[in-house]
Amino acid sequence: MNLFLRAFKLLQATAYHLLSKFENPIRLTEQAIRDLKQDFDETIQNFAKVKAISIGAKKELEAKKLQAKDYEQKAIMLLKKAKNGELEQTEADRLASEALNRKNELLKEVQKINTEVKSYDVTLKKMENKITELKHQIQKWEGEYRNLKARHTVAKTTTKVNKQLSSINYDSTASLLEEMKNKIAEEENLALAYENTAQIGTNIDNEIEKALGTNYKVQGELDSLKQGLIECKDENSAQNEIEQLKKELDS
C-alpha cells in the first residue's frame, strides 16, 4: 500500500513538473511580478510599523533623559536647601539619594532604549535598501515584461499571417482565374455570335426593300384596287345579262 502511494506521488510530481514546463511563460512572468509587488507592499507596511516603533522609542528616550535630568536637578536643589538651613541635612541627603537613584534607573532605561533605537535604525536602513531594491527590480521586470509581451504579440501575429500565407495555393488560384477568363471570353463570343445572327435576317430584309424601291408598297396597293374594280365590273356584266334573259322570257 505504501509502495503504491509513493508511486502515485511520484507520478503526480512528474505530471506537475511536465505541466509547469509547458505553462505559459507570460502568465508565469505576470504572476512573478504580482508576487514581487505583494512583497513590496508588505515590506512597505512592515517598514511603516518599525518606523512607528522607532519614533515612539526615540520619544520615550528623550522623555527619560528629561526625567533623569529633572531628578538630578531635584537632588541639587535638596542639597542647596540643606546648605541654606531650609531643610535638615539628613532629610536632604535621604531625598537627594532617592532622586539620584531614580536618575540612575532612568539612565539605565535610556541606555537600553538607546540600544533599541540603534537597532531600529539598522533595521530601517536594511528595509529601505530592500524597498529600493524591490522598486528597481519591479520597474526592471515590468519594462522587460512589456517588451517581451510586445515581441510575443508580434511573433504570434507574424506566425499566424505566415501560416495563412503559406496555406494559399498561388498556382491553383492563378489557374482558376485563367479558367474564369476563358469562360468569360467564351460567353462574350457566344453573345456576339447571337447578335450577328440576328443582324443577318434584318440585313436581308433591308436589301430586299432597297431593291424594290420605296414605292413598292404603294404600287401594290394600287394593283389590288385595280383588280378589285375589274372583278366588280365583271360581276355587273354578268348580272346585266341575267336581267336581259329574264326580260326576253317574259315577252
Side-chain angles (χ1 to χ4, degrees), residues 33 36 133-147:
I33 292 175
L36 200 60
E133 181 184 351
L134 281 173
K135 185 177 181 180
H136 290 164
Q137 191 65 48
I138 290 171
Q139 290 175 346
K140 179 183 177 182
W141 281 18
E142 284 184 329
E144 291 180 357
Y145 166 73
R146 286 192 295 268
N147 183 39

Side-chain angles (χ1 to χ4, degrees), residues 10 36 48 96 105 110 193:
L10 179 62
L36 200 60
E105 290 175 1
V110 166

Side-chain angles (χ1 to χ4, degrees), residues 26 145-163:
I26 292 180
Y145 166 73
R146 286 192 295 268
N147 183 39
L148 291 174
K149 189 173 182 180
R151 287 174 58 187
H152 175 264
T153 302
V154 172
K156 188 175 181 181
T157 304
T158 303
T159 301
K160 184 177 181 181
V161 171
N162 289 339
K163 185 177 180 180

Side-chain angles (χ1 to χ4, degrees), residues 189-234:
N189 293 335
L190 184 62
L192 184 61
Y194 278 120
E195 182 181 357
N196 292 336
T197 301
Q199 289 178 353
I200 288 174
T202 304
N203 291 336
I204 289 298
D205 291 337
N206 291 336
E207 290 178 4
I208 291 173
E209 290 182 0
K210 184 178 180 181
L212 291 173
T214 56
N215 296 325
Y216 82 94
K217 289 184 178 181
V218 176
Q219 186 63 41
E221 291 177 356
L222 289 174
D223 292 341
S224 296
L225 290 174
K226 289 180 180 180
Q227 184 65 32
L229 291 174
I230 292 172
E231 291 177 354
C232 183
K233 184 177 181 181
D234 291 340

Side-chain angles (χ1 to χ4, degrees), residues 26-82:
I26 292 180
R27 187 161 60 84
L28 291 175
T29 304
E30 290 176 346
Q31 184 61 47
I33 292 175
R34 282 196 296 269
D35 293 342
L36 200 60
K37 286 185 175 181
Q38 184 176 357
D39 292 341
F40 180 80
D41 293 338
E42 291 177 357
T43 303
I44 290 292
Q45 293 175 4
N46 293 331
F47 177 80
K49 291 178 181 178
V50 175
K51 187 73 172 177
I53 294 172
S54 176
I55 291 172
K58 288 179 179 179
K59 288 181 177 179
E60 186 179 4
L61 177 64
E62 293 300 321
K64 296 292 184 183
K65 286 181 179 180
L66 289 175
Q67 288 178 5
K69 190 175 182 180
D70 183 59
Y71 276 114
E72 183 180 2
Q73 292 294 328
K74 287 178 178 179
I76 294 172
M77 290 175 64
L78 289 168
L79 293 174
K80 283 183 178 181
K81 283 195 173 202

